[in-house]
Every structure is written in C-alpha cells, then in structure tokens.
Amino acid sequence: MPNKLRLYMNHFHHVDSHLCITFNRTSHNVLVRNFFKAISRLGDGIFWYSLMALLLCIDQAQALLPVLHMAIAGLVGTLTYKWLKAKTLRPRPFNVYQQISLRSVPLDQFSFPSGHTLHAVIFTLVAIHYYPMLSVGLIPLTILIGLSRPILGLHYPSDVLVGALVGIFISLISFSII
C-alpha cells in the first residue's frame, strides 16, 4: 500500500475511533443509555415486522406488494450484511478500545457493516415509497437507530455509514426490479 494511502487510512481509522469513543461517552448518562437501548431493540426487527403486520391489517390486499417488497429487500439485506461481516471480520469497538463501554448485547461477533442501520434504511425507503406519509416517523427512527449503534459501543460510525449506503443501494436496486 502506498504511503499516502496508508497515512490516509490511519487518519480515517483514528477519526472513526475517536468519534466512536465520543458517541459512546454519552451512554454514561442512564437516560441516554436506556433511550438508545430501546431504539436499538426496535431495530432488532420488532418494529419492522409489526409495521408490516399493521400495514396488512389496515390496507389489507393493497399492502401485499409493499410488505412483500420489504420482506424480500430485507432478506437481501440480511444475506449481504452477513456476507460482508464474514469477509471483513472487523472486531466490534468495545473489543478494541477499553474506553468504550458495551451497553447492549451484540447479535453477532463482528462490526462491519451495521445490519441494524442497513435494515432500517431498507425498510424505511421501501415503506415510504408506497406510503410517503410514514416518512415523518420512519426517517427520524432510522437516524436514531443508526446513532444508537456507536452510542451503545457496538459499531464504529463508518459501520453505520456503510450500512446506510448498502441499504440505499439495495433499496434502489429493488425499486428497479419490483
């Protein structure tokens, strides 16, 4: 690797780690910690599956395509992030830095990318494609889910950013297919 690229990568890693530590410090406040633990828990899938069920209850047959679209895009997201995690094997920040406190139980061993963020972006973009009025609640929730990951010591900010970008990419591809 050329020296300039190595220097750039070291600087990027330093900034990413510093931001992660800074985000995580906010979790020392019990109210902040509990709020983001609850937000993160919603991102485990509970909220998204409930939203799909609610859409089916309210909009019945009209919701079949949106819910199927969300489910298929979500499945592609799961396969993609699991493949990326297996290829990159990036340790979670709490395993690397002693100053980072783990504030929630990780779903798996590796950090890159953030599956919670990836799925939140996919489900939000697909849902608001069919139901634009949901953007008022889903966009802020998606942002909070992304923020929860470094605050709880589970991900670096770059994991969240890449998770969001992959989620956008999968959503855009799904719109061209479905």
Side-chain angles (χ1 to χ4, degrees):
M1 185 180 325
N3 285 340
K4 277 193 172 187
L5 182 57
R6 187 184 322 258
L7 186 63
Y8 174 75
M9 293 302 291
N10 286 340
H11 178 70
F12 176 78
H13 180 70
H14 174 75
V15 170
D16 199 27
S17 302
H18 178 71
L19 283 172
C20 189
I21 291 166
T22 301
F23 278 115
N24 184 249
R25 280 190 189 128
T26 64
S27 73
H28 295 302
N29 178 301
V30 71
L31 294 175
V32 170
R33 178 172 57 246
N34 289 338
F35 174 76
F36 281 104
K37 281 175 80 170
I39 292 292
S40 182
R41 183 76 176 120
L42 289 174
D44 286 350
I46 295 167
F47 176 80
W48 305 114
Y49 304 131
S50 299
L51 176 62
M52 287 184 238
L54 183 63
L55 290 174
L56 288 170
C57 288
I58 292 172
D59 220 9
Q60 299 168 1
Q62 298 287 349
L64 285 176
L65 178 61
V67 168
L68 185 61
H69 189 165
M70 289 173 76
I72 291 169
L75 176 62
V76 171
T78 298
L79 296 172
T80 303
Y81 99 87
K82 285 184 181 270
W83 179 79
L84 284 169
K85 282 191 180 209
K87 291 296 179 192
T88 59
L89 304 176
R90 185 180 196 186
R92 291 194 181 266
F94 71 88
N95 286 326
V96 177
Y97 297 98
Q98 289 180 355
Q99 39 308 31
I100 294 180
S101 302
L102 177 62
R103 301 300 187 177
S104 184
V105 179
L107 297 178
D108 58 41
Q109 182 178 356
F110 300 112
S111 178
F112 183 87
S114 167
H116 278 71
T117 306
L118 183 148
H119 283 98
V121 168
I122 288 171
F123 291 136
T124 293
L125 291 177
V126 173
I128 66 177
H129 175 77
Y130 295 98
Y131 302 97
M133 68 285 214
L134 293 177
S135 62
V136 173
L138 294 184
I139 291 172
L141 176 64
T142 296
I143 292 167
L144 289 172
I145 288 171
L147 286 171
S148 76
R149 308 313 284 165
I151 288 172
L152 298 174
L154 295 163
H155 288 283
Y156 295 93
S158 61
D159 300 335
V160 172
L161 178 62
V162 170
L165 291 173
V166 172
I168 290 168
F169 182 71
I170 291 170
S171 298
L172 291 175
I173 289 173
S174 77
F175 294 136
S176 68
I177 294 171
I178 295 180

